[in-house]
Amino acid sequence: MVKTTISLLKADIGSSPGHVTVYEPLMVRAEELMEKAKDENVILDFVVFNAGDDTELLLSHNKGVDNEAIHKLAWDTFMTLGKEAREIGLYGAGQDLLKDAFTGNIKGMGPGCAEFEFEERPAEPLLVFAMDKTEPGAFNYPIFQMFANPFNTAGLIIDPKLHEGFTFSVMDVYKNKFVDLSCPEQMYDLLALIGAPGKYVVKYVDSKTPDLGRAAAISTDKLSLIAGKYIGKDDPVAVIRSQSGFPAVGEIVEAFTLGHLVSGWMRGSHRGPLMPVSLEYSQCVRFDGPPRVVGLGFQLKNGIFIGGVDLFDDPSFDSTRARVNEITEYIRRHGPFEPGRLPLSEMEYTTLPNVLQKLEDKFHD
Ligand code: F6R
Ligand code: MG
Ligand code: MG
């Protein structure tokens, strides 16, 4: 049976005003370019959307992961959009496009990517999430909730297909190494790692029930580690399969109802609560935030995205949003003090070291 590949690729190609949101005409431009790629049979289907100042290309195809044609399509699209953003005068035009020439794979070039392939079930619910003003590890908490915490996901207890548990593939983003941990048996080991989301990031989740396969993929690309300095935050994305052996749609979105604290707000240097929002509010304004997550849900059939739903466009998330606003008030009162601001160890790739350098020879005994 032919497998379907889902590739979610993203880049900040420029925004308006400042780092608030993607400029609407450039999203239309991205759609035109994807329509052309669909006509030329490079992709089966696509959805273009934004998470704050990041342009997101959700693509389906049969070409497998790390496919050169798909990655080149995304790279060329981001380059075209970046060039047009520069001409229009958008802010930070092309900021995530760190290399000049495409070399076969978009990884390590600046844009983020989450992708995996699977055999479509007769009915295949698929959810995608995209965050702005935060880092890849911001997905650790909700992914753990969805796939390992029975207080979030009732199916882990009740449904024999979920009861076996899931395997988490965790990446050390500094060493570029992976460790696979099986839950529930290795849950404490898993938490020992992913509780430090700046270093350990969940990359994949796989079902332990035979034949179900991969459940989720998350982007782990760290701009600062590619460029060696602060460029912008990494603003991660995730692709997640749902139902019939995977967490239900409602169990997946439930994982975002805490408004958990994440790193990367304002100048990539602050902590803040993550607010789940509809696409209408996918724009980061207050103190360039607060950090946000948007979610879209589809039925996937032969690679076609059917019946798209804006998952957080629902009053049942109002109480989370109200709590996020309350925490925002509180945490912002800390101004430049930790833990509102990130600890020094995490400020290494920001602009702060330049300021501290000037003081270095002024210290006396
Ligand atoms: C960008 C971001 C913003 C910027 C801030 C300063 O993703 O997180 O908070 O870091 O607006 O931007 P510059 O240095 O471009 O003036
Ligand atoms: Mg920007
Ligand atoms: Mg962004």
Side-chain angles (χ1 to χ4, degrees):
M1 189 171 164
V2 193
K3 287 186 175 178
T4 305
T5 313
I6 301 296
S7 303
L8 178 53
L9 302 120
K10 49 87 37 184
D12 181 345
I13 52 86
S15 43
S16 168
H19 295 283
V20 170
T21 191
V22 175
Y23 183 58
E24 185 69 34
L26 280 193
M27 299 246 287
V28 175
R29 184 79 181 104
E31 276 169 359
E32 285 166 11
L33 294 168
M34 293 305 100
E35 200 65 65
K36 183 165 169 281
K38 192 174 165 178
D39 289 345
E40 290 167 356
N41 295 321
V42 182
I43 53 175
L44 293 170
D45 202 6
F46 68 90
V47 178
V48 175
F49 64 104
N50 82 299
D53 63 0
D54 296 290
T55 301
E56 317 278 340
L57 307 177
L58 173 62
L59 312 178
S60 65
H61 53 96
N62 297 133
K63 297 181 162 61
V65 300
D66 290 328
N67 179 269
E68 184 163 347
I70 297 297
H71 283 224
K72 188 169 184 334
L73 169 67
W75 176 257
D76 290 347
T77 303
F78 291 139
M79 286 298 268
T80 303
L81 296 175
K83 185 168 166 284
E84 292 184 16
R86 213 165 284 124
E87 286 161 11
I88 295 164
L90 298 182
Y91 196 72
Q95 73 161 43
D96 285 359
L97 309 170
L98 305 180
K99 305 278 157 90
D100 297 324
F102 182 74
T103 49
N105 193 302
I106 208 162
K107 277 182 206 151
M109 301 190 75
C113 171
E115 61 179 355
F116 65 113
E117 66 171 345
F118 50 88
E119 240 171 63
E120 278 183 27
R121 297 166 293 170
E124 184 69 58
L126 187 83
L127 308 191
V128 297
F129 295 91
M131 297 180 180
D132 191 32
K133 307 299 185 256
T134 186
E135 59 177 11
F139 270 110
N140 285 4
Y141 173 87
I143 290 286
F144 176 83
Q145 292 289 88
M146 291 168 209
F147 292 101
N149 186 357
F151 283 77
N152 180 91
T153 298
L156 292 168
I157 306 291
I158 294 169
D159 181 346
K161 285 205 228 130
L162 278 100
H163 202 83
E164 287 298 310
F166 292 86
T167 302
F168 292 70
S169 184
V170 177
M171 180 181 185
D172 176 335
V173 291
Y174 287 90
K175 293 189 177 152
N176 231 329
K177 284 185 180 293
F178 292 83
V179 59
D180 298 326
L181 296 167
S182 174
C183 278
E185 315 88 89
Q186 294 176 292
M187 181 188 290
Y188 297 163
D189 292 335
L190 175 68
L191 286 170
L193 296 178
I194 67 170
K199 181 166 165 65
Y200 299 106
V201 180
V202 180
K203 176 74 191 166
Y204 300 112
V205 182
D206 294 294
S207 171
K208 282 155 65 184
T209 302
D211 302 331
L212 273 176
R214 182 141 288 172
I218 301 102
S219 67
T220 47
D221 315 78
K222 288 269 253 189
L223 283 170
S224 58
L225 299 183
I226 299 166
K229 61 175 186 208
Y230 179 69
I231 301 280
K233 264 302 173 185
D234 314 295
D235 303 335
V237 294
V239 181
I240 301 170
R241 293 168 75 199
S242 177
Q243 306 286 157
S244 302
F246 297 116
V249 172
E251 290 167 332
I252 291 172
V253 294
E254 186 67 17
F256 294 94
T257 53
L258 174 63
H260 67 291
L261 288 173
V262 299
S263 297
W265 193 1
M266 181 52 88
R267 299 178 185 276
S269 308
H270 294 81
R271 288 201 175 93
L274 185 78
M275 185 187 267
V277 292
S278 65
L279 288 176
E280 187 187 353
Y281 295 107
S282 186
Q283 47 178 43
C284 291
V285 187
R286 182 174 179 183
F287 201 61
D288 286 0
R292 274 154 217 244
V293 57
V294 294
L296 298 178
F298 308 90
Q299 284 299 128
L300 185 71
K301 190 69 185 173
N302 300 326
I304 306 297
F305 299 109
I306 299 183
V309 165
D310 184 351
L311 295 168
F312 296 126
D313 185 11
D314 187 309
S316 66
F317 297 102
D318 285 350
S319 58
T320 303
R321 292 188 273 257
R323 180 164 51 244
V324 165
N325 280 327
E326 201 179 310
I327 295 165
T328 291
E329 285 298 334
Y330 172 77
I331 211 160
R332 287 315 321 131
R333 296 285 83 81
H334 290 74
F337 287 83
E338 297 176 11
R341 198 182 75 185
L342 294 181
L344 273 186
S345 57
E346 285 185 53
M347 298 291 283
E348 191 187 338
Y349 290 102
T350 71
T351 41
L352 183 69
N354 300 334
V355 176
L356 296 183
Q357 209 173 9
K358 281 193 292 188
L359 297 173
E360 222 154 70
D361 53 7
K362 298 208 165 56
F363 278 88
H364 50 79
D365 291 332

